Amino acid sequence: MADKNKIVFLISDENKWDHLMMNIKHINQHMELVDRIAIVTVDTAILSCLKGTIFDDFKNQISKLCAINVDFFLCINTCIKFGITKDLILSEFTIAEEGGLL
């Protein structure tokens, strides 16, 4: 059997979360090919990842994806740009201390 793939998505636009979620839904139909999925959030997409978000459906999707080997990261440089600290973000997200691209 071939090695499983690791997939990284970079999302920068808060209006593109639905598109990203549809991509992951499609990939989940072939999870036998995937080891892990990571989503790195930068620019305005980071604004959806705050505890105060009113998008309950978004929060539910994030929780479900975490349960199936999807990891969520926020770029530290973007956090600094927007003044976002760890206490402001949803618990499913980790700040990528090296920056989003690494």
Side-chain angles (χ1 to χ4, degrees):
M1 182 174 171
D3 290 336
K4 289 187 171 189
N5 297 292
K6 292 175 176 40
I7 300 171
V8 177
F9 287 100
L10 180 72
I11 183 164
S12 61
D13 183 339
E14 66 184 75
N15 296 308
K16 300 294 183 180
W17 279 107
D18 287 338
H19 180 74
L20 176 63
M21 296 299 183
M22 289 304 294
N23 283 330
I24 293 173
K25 182 179 179 180
H26 176 72
I27 290 169
N28 282 341
Q29 295 172 359
H30 304 282
M31 285 305 289
E32 71 279 1
L33 303 174
V34 178
D35 179 33
R36 293 201 74 80
I37 298 172
I39 298 171
V40 180
T41 310
V42 300
D43 205 24
T44 61
I46 206 169
L47 300 175
S48 300
C49 308
L50 302 176
K51 286 181 181 176
T53 185
I54 59 171
F55 302 114
D56 289 331
D57 184 52
F58 174 76
K59 290 189 273 191
N60 290 334
Q61 287 180 55
I62 297 298
S63 293
K64 288 178 184 176
L65 291 174
C66 282
I68 59 165
N69 293 337
V70 178
D71 300 309
F72 292 90
F73 299 95
L74 303 177
C75 171
I76 191 166
N77 297 319
T78 306
C79 289
I80 292 168
K81 174 183 171 183
F82 286 108
I84 295 171
T85 56
K86 187 174 182 173
D87 60 311
L88 296 175
I89 63 175
L90 294 170
S91 62
E92 293 86 358
F93 287 83
T94 301
I95 295 177
E97 299 292 336
E98 305 83 19
L101 294 177
L102 293 176

